[in-house]
């Protein structure tokens, strides 16, 4: 009907809203549509459906009020009164609750329901041992409510809340949302403290159910009920409000609420609450890569706690250590994390030990020690599960999933994702959800290469980061750049990598985008532009046999490939020790899924260390053997073949041709024409160089 009335399909939200009000009654549907259109609630100035259409509780059109009103006038006063009380309860209500509200005998109330049902205004049904009464149309309920003055309606809501308490006794807490609704709607007729208590309780239940919008509304309502002033009750509510805002991706709003609560706790010298809140705020700031603010929070908390051996101080030291690790201050990071761990060991409880191990796991991850990070994270996860520390559990599971992915432990990574995905949704952890999506995307592309599917993954990853105000969209552009690179669109690849460099926040991941840009410019024929990056790259490369952040290790690997593509073999060969150091971290795959042995083979070949190069390429081919159709399996074969042709020992050309023919078929299947052309060029060169071909 709505499509016919407008001429094109309406938004699903509108269809849902109008159906819930009208149950599809044709007259009601048309009248509600015309009313909303006249109110300017449906279309923009050009007559198109509004893109941000939101339909809350509908106002009843006068035409509908007239029709429904005539039906209501035919009822007895007792029936209209009973229906009005039912309308205050809701669209559907328990007969026993209506009985507790109304000062009527049971028989009189049953007669009233019978009359209303015969008039087609309500329907009754069994719900277990209870009888439920439902209005035939929501517009009938709204019409009844519109005839009740606000003061009377408020007192009816208060009477409903009191009836709920009488009916359910101690079990009324299970109906916190109903109580909260009726007490809030009762306004000044209800006691503010009781209203706030149930509204907060309803918000807490909504948070537990991951209904974050509902929780946010509840906490905002509770704040509006509380008397204005600096009180502990208000500070605790601001903390809850900030948590709901954070879980909805509204980080800055959440931080503002938390900072207001923190100011109160600082003013009264509540060290425990200051320590807890500065840790929570600092953790969110760390996810936003706002390191200076993280250190501000850590400093504020430690200033209040002094040298106390308390859990809050241990947590803050762990957080400070993680932040130090992610800005490249490894020694300082290790010291803070060890001091925090010492406090955890003294206190002894699983939750404290789990948090300390989680901090250590994230530190190890930042420096690409993936096997150790994974083992430590799994140990931490066991303790955090038992203690119920879900946020830290999501953190270690997320980093553990990445560590498993980059060490080719795909089954373990996917198993972690099965636990992490619902957990992230439950607590509103957008960063952990991002981890799940990224690891699955990389694993799927390795197992079953599909460039269109990978593009869908990369774009959804970018949209997720932007929608949730996560600062990690630079990596989304790296994914999109790698996709363009595989498709052979050098200009698009370079564009995405340039965007990544411009948006990459300072962190342990920094360097991945810059290295990718250098490599893409080199392969794409932009030699001068590639060389212009070398001074910055050389200043940022790690030193062999020294620890470094994962991003700088990535920078070194991409630089090797870029130099090789530019024909700067000597310079690429000089970086071979860096490739070996990367391998010593225990990582197997580069962040884009390329085996590190492939890059090490390129570096060894660039310095004519043929035996070492062959060993690396053999290892890369072996690692990719389960994924023979993957792009990286084909690339390992192509680079291996190129090395064999350059070495030119007996049988090398035959082996190279075999690999190139295999790679050519694979490139054609995946749809990577430029790489297919590179392999074809090598194959032609091998034929020209060989008298037998």
């Amino acid at each position: 009907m709505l499509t016919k009335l407008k001429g094109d399909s309406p938004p699903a939200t509108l269809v849902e809203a109008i159906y819930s009000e009208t149950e599809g009654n044709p007259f009601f549907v048309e009248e509600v549509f015309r009313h909303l259109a006249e109110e300017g609630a449906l279309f923009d100035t050009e007559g198109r459906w509004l893109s941000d259409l939101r339909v809350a509780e509908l106002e009843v059109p006068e035409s509908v009020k007239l029709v429904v009103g005539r039906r209501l006038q035919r009822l007895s006063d007792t029936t209209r009164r009973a229906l009005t009380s039912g309308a205050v309860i809701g669209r559907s209500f328990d007969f026993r609750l209506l009985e507790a509200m109304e000062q009527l005998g049971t028989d009189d109330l049953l007669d009233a329901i019978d009359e209303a049902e015969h008039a087609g205004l309500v329907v009754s049904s069994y719900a277990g041992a209870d009888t439920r009464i439902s209005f035939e149309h929501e517009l009938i309920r709204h019409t009844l409510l519109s005839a009740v003055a606000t003061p009377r309606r408020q007192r009816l809501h208060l009477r409903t809340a009191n009836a709920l308490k009488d009916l359910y006794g101690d079990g009324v807490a299970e109906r916190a949302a109903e109580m909260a609704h009726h007490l809030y709607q009762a306004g000044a007729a209800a006691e503010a403290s009781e209203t706030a208590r149930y509204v907060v309780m309803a918000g807490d239940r909504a948070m537990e159910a991951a209904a974050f919008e509902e929780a946010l509304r509840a906490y905002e309502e509770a704040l509006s009920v509380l008397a204005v002033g600096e009180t502990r009750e208000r500070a605790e509510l601001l903390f809850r409000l900030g948590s709901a805002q954070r879980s909805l991706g509204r980080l800055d709003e959440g931080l503002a609420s938390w900072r207001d609560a923190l100011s109160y706790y600082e003013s009264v010298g509540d060290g425990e609450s200051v320590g807890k809140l500065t840790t929570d705020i600092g953790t969110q700031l760390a996810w936003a890569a706002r390191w200076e603010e993280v250190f501000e929070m850590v400093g504020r908390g430690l200033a209040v706690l002094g040298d106390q051996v308390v859990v809050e101080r241990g947590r803050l030291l762990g957080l400070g250590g993680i932040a130090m690790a992610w800005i490249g201050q490894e020694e300082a990071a290790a010291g803070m994390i060890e001091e925090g761990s010492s406090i955890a060991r003294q206190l002894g409880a699983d939750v404290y030990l789990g948090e300390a191990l989680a901090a250590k796991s994230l530190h190890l991850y930042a420096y690409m020690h993936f096997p150790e990070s994974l083992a430590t994270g799994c140990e931490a996860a066991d303790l955090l599960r038992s203690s119920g520390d879900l946020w830290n559990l999501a953190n270690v599971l997320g980093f553990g999933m990445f560590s498993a992915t980059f060490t080719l432990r795909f089954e373990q990574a996917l198993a972690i994702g099965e636990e992490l995905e619902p957990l992230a949704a439950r607590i509103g952890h957008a960063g952990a959800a991002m981890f799940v999506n990224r690891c699955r995307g990389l694993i799927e592309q390795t197992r079953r290469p599909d460039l269109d599917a990978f593009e869908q993954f990369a774009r959804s990853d970018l949209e997720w980061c932007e929608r949730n105000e996560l600062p990690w969209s630079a990596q989304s552009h790296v994914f999109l750049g790698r996709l363009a690179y595989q498709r052979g669109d050098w200009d698009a690849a370079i564009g995405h990598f340039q965007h990544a460099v411009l948006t990459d926040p300072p962190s342990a991941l920094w360097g991945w985008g810059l290295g990718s840009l250098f490599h893409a410019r080199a392969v794409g024929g932009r030699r001068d532009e590639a060389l212009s990056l070398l001074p910055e790259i050389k200043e940022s490369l790690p030193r062999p046999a020294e620890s470094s952040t994962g991003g700088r290790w990535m920078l070194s690997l991409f630089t090797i490939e870029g130099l090789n593509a530019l024909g700067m073999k000597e310079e690429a060969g000089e970086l071979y020790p860096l490739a070996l150091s990367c391998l010593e971290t225990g990582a197997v795959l580069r962040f884009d899924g390329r085996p590190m042995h492939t890059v090490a083979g390129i570096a060894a070949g660039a310095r004519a260390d043929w035996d070492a190069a062959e060993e690396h390429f053999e290892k890369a081919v072996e690692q990719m053997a389960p994924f023979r159709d993957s792009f990286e399996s084909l690339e390992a074969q192509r680079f291996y073949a190129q090395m064999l042709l350059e070495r030119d020992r007996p049988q090398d050309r035959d082996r190279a041709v075999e690999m190139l023919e295999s790679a050519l078929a694979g490139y054609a299947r995946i749809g990577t024409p430029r790489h297919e052309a590179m392999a074809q060029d090598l194959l032609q060169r091998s034929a020209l160089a060989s008298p037998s071909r």
Side-chain angles (χ1 to χ4, degrees), residues 91-268:
R91 171 73 183 270
S92 178
F93 52 88
D94 188 337
F95 178 81
R96 292 185 304 150
L97 180 58
L98 182 64
E99 189 177 26
M101 278 185 66
E102 285 298 320
Q103 306 299 318
L104 292 171
T106 300
D107 288 342
D108 290 338
L109 190 56
L110 288 170
D111 289 341
I113 296 301
D114 283 344
E115 184 182 7
E117 193 161 5
H118 290 149
L121 298 172
V122 299
V123 292
S124 58
S125 60
Y126 290 109
D130 298 326
T131 301
R132 292 201 69 79
I133 314 298
S134 303
F135 285 98
E136 187 71 40
H137 301 288
E138 183 70 352
L139 291 173
I140 296 171
R141 187 176 81 88
H142 287 177
T143 300
L144 284 161
L145 291 175
S146 67
V148 182
T150 298
R152 175 172 171 76
R153 193 188 304 186
Q154 287 178 328
R155 279 151 183 79
L156 284 172
H157 277 293
L158 180 60
R159 191 189 299 175
T160 304
N162 290 332
L164 282 167
K165 286 190 286 187
D166 291 342
L167 188 60
Y168 295 105
D170 293 339
V172 76
E174 297 299 318
R175 297 176 173 267
E178 289 178 73
M179 287 291 294
H181 168 72
H182 291 298
L183 289 171
Y184 186 77
Q185 293 298 323
E191 290 186 12
S193 59
E194 184 179 35
T195 300
R197 182 166 69 88
Y198 278 105
V199 173
V200 170
M201 194 184 301
D204 292 346
R205 295 288 175 87
M207 283 292 289
E208 291 170 4
F212 303 123
E213 288 280 6
E214 185 180 333
L216 180 64
R217 286 194 298 272
Y219 296 142
E220 288 175 338
E221 288 177 358
L223 278 171
S224 71
V225 170
L226 284 177
V228 177
E230 295 297 323
T231 64
R232 180 173 296 276
E233 187 177 20
R234 188 175 186 82
E236 291 173 353
L237 187 49
L238 283 167
F239 174 76
R240 287 178 163 89
L241 177 67
S243 298
Q245 291 165 328
R246 180 272 320 277
S247 296
L248 287 167
R250 293 155 61 172
L251 179 59
D252 285 335
E253 292 178 35
L255 290 172
S257 298
W258 282 345
R259 284 180 181 274
D260 286 344
L262 178 60
S263 295
Y264 168 78
Y265 291 128
E266 286 177 325
S267 70
V268 297

Side-chain angles (χ1 to χ4, degrees), residues 261-318:
L262 178 60
S263 295
Y264 168 78
Y265 291 128
E266 286 177 325
S267 70
V268 297
D270 184 344
E272 181 178 350
S273 296
V274 168
K276 183 180 188 313
L277 200 44
T278 50
T279 303
D280 288 338
I281 297 174
T283 299
Q284 302 310 312
L285 290 166
W287 270 100
R290 290 156 61 169
W291 307 114
E292 289 187 9
E293 294 175 80
V294 174
F295 293 126
E296 176 209 347
M297 285 296 123
V298 172
R300 285 172 70 170
L302 292 177
V304 173
L305 295 170
D307 295 330
Q308 300 178 62
V309 181
V310 292
V311 62
E312 290 77 18
R313 182 162 164 263
R315 286 170 171 162
L316 280 167
L317 288 166

Side-chain angles (χ1 to χ4, degrees), residues 170-468:
D170 293 339
V172 76
E174 297 299 318
R175 297 176 173 267
E178 289 178 73
M179 287 291 294
H181 168 72
H182 291 298
L183 289 171
Y184 186 77
Q185 293 298 323
E191 290 186 12
S193 59
E194 184 179 35
T195 300
R197 182 166 69 88
Y198 278 105
V199 173
V200 170
M201 194 184 301
D204 292 346
R205 295 288 175 87
M207 283 292 289
E208 291 170 4
F212 303 123
E213 288 280 6
E214 185 180 333
L216 180 64
R217 286 194 298 272
Y219 296 142
E220 288 175 338
E221 288 177 358
L223 278 171
S224 71
V225 170
L226 284 177
V228 177
E230 295 297 323
T231 64
R232 180 173 296 276
E233 187 177 20
R234 188 175 186 82
E236 291 173 353
L237 187 49
L238 283 167
F239 174 76
R240 287 178 163 89
L241 177 67
S243 298
Q245 291 165 328
R246 180 272 320 277
S247 296
L248 287 167
R250 293 155 61 172
L251 179 59
D252 285 335
E253 292 178 35
L255 290 172
S257 298
W258 282 345
R259 284 180 181 274
D260 286 344
L262 178 60
S263 295
Y264 168 78
Y265 291 128
E266 286 177 325
S267 70
V268 297
D270 184 344
E272 181 178 350
S273 296
V274 168
K276 183 180 188 313
L277 200 44
T278 50
T279 303
D280 288 338
I281 297 174
T283 299
Q284 302 310 312
L285 290 166
W287 270 100
R290 290 156 61 169
W291 307 114
E292 289 187 9
E293 294 175 80
V294 174
F295 293 126
E296 176 209 347
M297 285 296 123
V298 172
R300 285 172 70 170
L302 292 177
V304 173
L305 295 170
D307 295 330
Q308 300 178 62
V309 181
V310 292
V311 62
E312 290 77 18
R313 182 162 164 263
R315 286 170 171 162
L316 280 167
L317 288 166
L319 172 62
I322 293 169
M324 282 289 185
W326 279 72
I327 63 169
Q329 301 296 318
E330 185 178 18
E331 187 175 342
M336 293 187 76
I337 289 173
E338 176 52 36
E339 188 177 355
S341 299
S342 175
I343 291 174
R345 288 192 293 271
Q346 291 179 63
L347 296 172
D350 283 354
V351 62
Y352 311 145
L353 295 170
E355 289 174 356
L357 286 170
K360 183 179 179 182
S361 175
L362 269 60
H363 177 206
L364 289 165
Y365 181 94
Y367 289 85
M368 222 167 73
H369 299 298
F370 295 142
E372 296 92 333
S373 176
L374 178 59
T376 305
C378 289
E379 187 179 353
D382 289 340
L383 295 171
L384 294 169
R385 285 190 198 95
S386 64
S387 68
D389 185 353
L390 300 184
W391 191 269
N392 274 312
L393 174 60
N395 283 342
V396 295
L397 289 176
F399 284 98
M401 191 176 184
F402 262 119
S403 295
T405 299
F406 295 138
T407 51
L408 264 181
R409 304 175 189 183
F410 287 172
E411 294 303 328
Q412 184 176 5
L414 293 172
I416 292 172
E418 289 298 311
E419 177 182 2
L420 180 55
E421 184 177 35
L423 173 61
R426 174 184 170 189
I427 63 176
H429 198 319
M434 177 191 73
F435 278 173
V436 174
N437 185 50
R438 286 185 173 180
C439 290
R440 285 177 176 169
L442 290 169
I443 292 171
E444 186 65 19
Q445 185 63 6
T446 301
R447 286 180 159 179
R448 287 172 285 274
D450 182 332
L451 298 186
D452 291 337
F454 191 75
E455 180 175 11
Q456 184 178 357
F457 144 72
R459 294 201 178 281
S460 69
D461 182 73
L462 177 60
E463 189 274 335
W464 181 260
C465 288
E466 291 176 342
R467 176 153 52 92
N468 290 281

